[in-house]
């Protein structure tokens, strides 16, 4: 989806600066969720059929949808500008603290606060909190006109830390800390290789494909052709992949979600609090440390988003596809998708309260004004 060249000025209401598709993006996503839930409920055995063939513990159709979704966004990244992000300590250090210290701790606290009597769902939520963003957050960041290069760096950084820290954090938050607090313990049997494999598939493949597309495309026909001709052609596939992934994801657990509405509601409450706290707190922190709007937005979405595909894969591999832990993992994106798409619009409306982009990010800021969805 390309920016609308006839867009109104930044001072106009957000909705008036969006194309028809962009303006009703939340509607398309909700319709995709409803379609998936309906298919999962109405077509006997569909969820089992979709789950039979897996990649790193995730249904093959979901894996394909994620790869199609991420490739166009990563093909848009200006890899020659990544050094301007890696030098920005105001962005990198807060991101590490938010993702690997505060995020898991906040989810652990909320899970025990809201689900003290439901250990399976509680464990599933803690696993969701440990699985930091590497995939769909790139879409939310792009929709909100965040810094695309910063998002690529932070997602890559999260991927490295995920491989190194996920197992250790799972052991700490499910076994050590509950034991210290006298809350009971849960074992999480997941190897570093399983996590690394998931990261390599869901981030590595589209990242390499995006880098090679830009490198070869610019070398063959120049940057102007690449930006004005190729990108508009491949850009819409990010939305197609997103909607397809949502349909398949919710079809897998449609029966469980629709047959246990009260359980879903219990799981949803701490998730809602988590997304609101992490996003708003991160956005405020970005402003407080002097980040401009694009990088504050990137900080907020990378801190609030979660790697639900890894969380679901871990829950299924450890506790089984029909477990409460797996259901909690699936409810994660059920809540995350509409909440974060809503926060995209909140972020766009809040742009006026942030400093103008710095010289490092101003180069691509004008292209962001026309549309929220540049994917």
């Amino acid at each position: 989806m390309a920016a609308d060249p006839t867009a109104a000025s930044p001072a106009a209401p957000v909705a008036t600066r969006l194309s028809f598709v962009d303006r009703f993006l939340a509607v398309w996503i909700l319709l995709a969720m409803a379609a998936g839930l309906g298919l999962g409920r109405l077509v006997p055995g569909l969820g089992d059929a979709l789950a039979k063939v897996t990649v790193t513990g995730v249904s093959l159709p979901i894996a394909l949808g994620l790869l199609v979704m991420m490739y166009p966004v990563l093909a848009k990244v200006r890899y020659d500008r990544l050094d301007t992000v890696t030098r920005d300590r105001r962005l990198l250090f807060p991101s590490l603290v938010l993702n690997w210290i505060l995020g898991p701790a906040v989810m652990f606290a909320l899970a025990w606060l809201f689900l003290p009597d439901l250990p399976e769902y509680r464990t599933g939520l803690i696993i969701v909190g440990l699985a930091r963003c590497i995939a769909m957050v790139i879409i939310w960041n792009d929709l909100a006109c965040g810094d695309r290069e910063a998002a690529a760096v932070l997602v890559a950084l999260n991927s490295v830390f995920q491989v190194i820290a996920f197992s250790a954090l799972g052991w700490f938050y499910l076994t050590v800390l509950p034991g210290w607090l006298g809350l009971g313990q849960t074992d999480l049997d997941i190897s570093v290789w399983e996590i690394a494999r998931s990261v390599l598939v869901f981030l590595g493949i589209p990242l390499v494909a995006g880098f090679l597309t830009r490198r070869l495309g610019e070398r063959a026909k120049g940057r102007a052709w690449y930006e004005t001709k190729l990108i508009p052609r491949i850009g819409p596939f990010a939305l197609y992949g997103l909607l397809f992934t949502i349909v398949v994801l919710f079809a897998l657990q449609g029966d469980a979600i629709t047959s246990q509405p009260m359980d879903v509601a219990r799981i949803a409450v701490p998730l809602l609090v988590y997304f609101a706290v992490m996003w708003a707190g991160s956005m405020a922190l970005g402003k407080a440390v002097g980040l401009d709007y694009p990088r504050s937005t990137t900080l907020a979405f990378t801190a609030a988003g979660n790697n639900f595909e890894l969380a679901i894969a871990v829950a299924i591999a450890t506790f089984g596809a029909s477990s409460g832990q797996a259901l909690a993992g699936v409810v994660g994106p059920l809540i995350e998708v509409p909440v974060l798409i809503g926060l995209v619009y909140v972020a766009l409306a809040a742009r006026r309260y942030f400093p103008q982009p710095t010289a490092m990010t101003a180069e691509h800021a004008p292209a962001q004004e026309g549309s929220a969805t540049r994917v």
Side-chain angles (χ1 to χ4, degrees), residues 1 65 68-69 233-246:
M1 289 172 285
V68 171
M69 176 188 74
R233 291 180 182 177
I234 65 176
F237 285 93
L239 176 61
Y240 305 153
L242 172 64
L243 296 178
F244 175 79
T245 301
I246 290 170

Side-chain angles (χ1 to χ4, degrees), residues 27 60 138 160 331 348-349 370:
V27 175
L60 179 59
I138 294 178
V160 172
V331 173
L348 289 169

Side-chain angles (χ1 to χ4, degrees), residues 39-40 43-54 58-62 248 251-253 321:
L39 286 171
V43 181
L46 177 62
D48 293 337
L50 291 173
K52 279 185 178 178
V53 182
T54 63
V58 176
S59 167
L60 179 59
I62 290 181
V248 176
L252 278 168
Q253 290 277 351

Side-chain angles (χ1 to χ4, degrees), residues 1-227:
M1 289 172 285
D4 179 3
T6 64
S9 69
V14 172
T16 66
R17 303 201 303 274
L18 305 180
S19 69
F20 174 80
V21 173
D22 297 338
R23 192 174 303 173
F24 295 101
L25 183 65
V27 175
W28 313 139
I29 290 176
L30 290 173
L31 287 175
M33 293 167 62
L37 290 172
L39 286 171
R41 183 74 174 179
L42 297 175
V43 181
L46 177 62
D48 293 337
L50 291 173
K52 279 185 178 178
V53 182
T54 63
V55 175
T56 69
V58 176
S59 167
L60 179 59
I62 290 181
L64 292 175
L66 288 168
L67 294 177
V68 171
M69 176 188 74
M70 294 179 64
Y71 163 68
V73 179
L74 290 170
K76 293 179 181 181
V77 170
R78 285 283 304 275
Y79 294 94
D80 57 329
R81 287 206 301 246
L82 294 185
D83 62 324
T84 67
V85 179
T86 58
R87 293 198 303 264
D88 192 347
R89 295 183 180 180
R90 294 177 305 169
L91 177 66
L92 294 180
F93 180 72
S95 178
L96 290 176
V97 171
L98 288 166
N99 274 286
W100 297 104
I101 298 177
L102 292 181
V106 169
M107 188 68 90
F108 174 86
L110 291 173
W112 275 98
L113 179 64
F114 287 95
L115 301 172
D117 57 329
L118 297 171
E120 289 190 0
Y121 298 154
R122 184 177 65 237
T123 297
L125 280 187
I126 293 172
I127 293 173
V128 169
L130 298 177
R132 311 311 300 169
C133 64
I134 69 165
M136 198 173 287
V137 70
I138 294 178
I139 295 289
W140 309 138
N141 177 74
D142 221 44
L143 296 178
C145 300
D147 188 311
R148 190 179 289 144
E149 286 67 43
V153 169
L154 296 186
V155 163
L157 197 61
N158 275 347
S159 300
V160 172
F161 271 80
Q162 204 146 122
V163 172
I164 297 172
F166 186 92
S167 296
L169 287 173
W171 169 73
F172 177 76
Y173 279 105
L174 293 175
T175 302
V176 177
L177 186 57
W180 287 350
L181 301 176
L183 300 173
Q185 300 176 342
T186 303
D187 292 328
L188 182 63
D189 184 17
I190 185 73
S191 70
V192 171
W193 166 240
E194 289 175 287
I195 300 165
R197 187 174 56 185
S198 177
V199 170
L200 287 172
V201 169
F202 295 118
L203 178 64
I205 292 176
L207 181 61
V208 170
F211 173 80
L212 290 177
T213 300
R214 178 172 282 278
R215 184 72 178 270
L216 298 177
E218 288 188 354
R219 180 177 296 177
K221 296 201 173 183
R223 179 165 295 171
W225 173 88
Y226 186 87
E227 296 286 352

